Amino acid sequence: MNKSIKVFAPGSVSNVGCGFDILGFAIDGIGDEMVLSKNDSNKLHIKPIEGYDNLPTEPSKNVAGVAIQALLDDLGSNQGFDIEIKKNIKPGSGIGSSSASAAGAVVAANELLGKPYSREELVNFAMQGEIAASGDAHADNAAPTVLGGFCIVRAYDPLDVIQIESPKDLWCVVIHPQIEIKTKEARKLLSPKVDLKKAIRQWGNVAGLISGLHKSDYNLIGRSLEDHIVEKQRKVLIPEFDNLKQAALEAGALGCSISGSGPSVFALCEGEDKAKAVSSAMNEVFSKTTIPYFIYTSQVSNKGVRILE
Ligand code: HSE
């Protein structure tokens, strides 16, 4: 059995407009790299994190450490690991930074332990890392990061995740303004009450989106990419949100909304050409601000964490 393994953990877009806390998909353009090695100390040791050195390296405070510990506790193992993280996804970006580290960590640890768990079972442990990051164990980033494609979190207790392959021409544009929004804070903005009429429209959209994904019906996907509950409450945190959305839709995006808790904004598109047009329209809007930003354009990825070597 190998002593060491290197993995790539992709970024992800959660909520996907209408599916707050229950829907997410994996993206291809950006992700974290991690190397996990067994050690003989019975302890987790996180090396200084490449890319973002202000992240905690104490295992009980680090999302990767918390997620691996949850796996080890469930397995009844005291195996120690050295953990190296090369972070490419900025924390507080809205594209699943904490989930990438947590998911990469549990997939890598599981491999080195002889695969005692299935990928589906690993989502449970990856999700525990979110508690360290946002105070809540939501799985809408963790599930697609571990499994790839779109994931529905049908239920949390017990966790029931359904993975759906993405239609082959579904592309995603994500614009990532380089400001930080803490998920914990963005969750505090949300009213705990939902108006019944809005809820009816929202679950209609969730059903429509899932059906559209199954049938590769891009028009139905587009009609369903509407959020009547969360977007309005959170968009105040995102500079140029309304203009970005309008530009994306005018350039032919199927839909556009906040990625996770922001500040990233995503647009789904049919085909690469449309995605490039949407990317350039969003670029045009944001280039007028003084805020640095990145834009990623990629197919929705049907792969979750990948083993590199
Ligand atoms: N569903 C979570 C939220 C995702 O929107 O708070 C956070 O990345």
Side-chain angles (χ1 to χ4, degrees):
M1 209 179 285
N2 284 347
K3 270 199 75 173
S4 181
I5 191 166
K6 186 173 181 183
V7 297
F8 172 83
S12 55
V13 169
S14 59
N15 299 339
V16 200
C18 52
F20 178 71
D21 271 3
I22 60 116
L23 209 56
F25 62 83
I27 54 179
D28 223 3
I30 179 158
D32 291 348
E33 277 180 25
M34 304 177 73
V35 178
L36 228 75
S37 311
K38 283 183 175 172
N39 67 33
D40 298 324
S41 73
N42 297 341
K43 289 200 177 97
L44 301 180
H45 173 241
I46 301 174
K47 299 190 176 169
I49 294 163
E50 214 183 308
Y52 293 95
D53 53 13
N54 55 351
L55 289 172
T57 52
E58 205 181 309
S60 64
K61 296 197 173 130
N62 178 286
V63 293
V66 170
I68 294 187
Q69 195 58 56
L71 182 155
L72 292 172
D73 290 348
D74 190 74
L75 193 62
S77 163
N78 61 359
Q79 176 65 54
F81 290 104
D82 292 333
I83 304 162
E84 285 173 56
I85 308 173
K86 184 177 172 213
K87 269 215 96 50
N88 296 312
I89 314 178
K90 188 173 151 67
S93 58
I95 41 176
S97 177
S98 47
S99 290
S101 298
V106 293
V107 171
N110 191 50
E111 288 288 322
L112 293 178
L113 292 165
K115 285 204 197 171
Y117 295 103
S118 68
R119 283 266 175 150
E120 285 74 14
E121 288 169 324
L122 291 178
V123 175
N124 234 322
F125 306 124
M127 185 176 88
Q128 301 310 314
E130 296 287 14
I131 300 178
S134 75
D136 253 328
H138 51 88
D140 48 342
N141 289 105
T145 308
V146 172
L147 300 170
F150 278 81
C151 287
I152 307 163
V153 187
R154 192 203 61 81
Y156 272 94
D157 191 15
L159 188 66
D160 184 2
V161 170
I162 300 126
Q163 197 255 16
I164 309 173
E165 295 271 303
S166 173
K168 73 174 174 30
D169 278 331
L170 196 57
W171 283 68
C172 178
V173 180
V174 178
I175 181 162
H176 173 200
Q178 299 292 291
I179 54 173
E180 185 180 353
I181 293 181
K182 290 197 187 331
T183 299
K184 209 182 253 180
E185 301 306 317
R187 290 178 87 78
K188 283 188 199 151
L189 278 184
L190 302 177
S191 160
K193 294 203 173 124
V194 175
D195 174 78
L196 182 61
K197 283 199 177 120
K198 284 187 184 158
I200 291 167
R201 294 180 75 183
Q202 195 88 350
W203 55 58
N205 281 329
V206 174
L209 179 55
I210 301 308
S211 177
L213 292 170
H214 272 299
K215 299 200 290 191
S216 295
D217 181 338
Y218 295 94
N219 192 293
L220 177 56
I221 292 171
R223 296 201 304 281
S224 309
L225 278 169
E226 275 185 342
D227 172 15
H228 297 287
I229 298 172
V230 174
E231 183 181 290
K232 204 168 168 190
Q233 300 182 67
R234 278 183 170 169
K235 68 177 185 178
V236 290
L237 298 174
I238 304 172
E240 297 296 328
F241 177 79
D242 286 333
N243 291 333
L244 282 169
K245 182 166 176 168
Q246 188 184 342
L249 295 176
E250 280 173 7
L254 299 167
C256 174
S257 190
I258 303 169
S259 176
S261 53
S264 293
V265 174
F266 80 97
L268 282 175
C269 308
E270 180 180 0
E272 184 173 9
D273 289 348
K274 201 64 92 185
K276 284 186 177 156
V278 168
S279 160
S280 116
M282 292 172 98
N283 185 42
E284 168 119 17
V285 170
F286 220 78
S287 60
K288 294 188 183 118
T289 72
T290 53
I291 303 166
Y293 60 99
F294 294 117
I295 297 190
Y296 311 106
T297 303
S298 79
Q299 264 169 306
V300 173
S301 174
N302 281 319
K303 290 197 188 110
V305 176
R306 297 202 285 275
I307 292 157
L308 299 177
E309 53 191 65

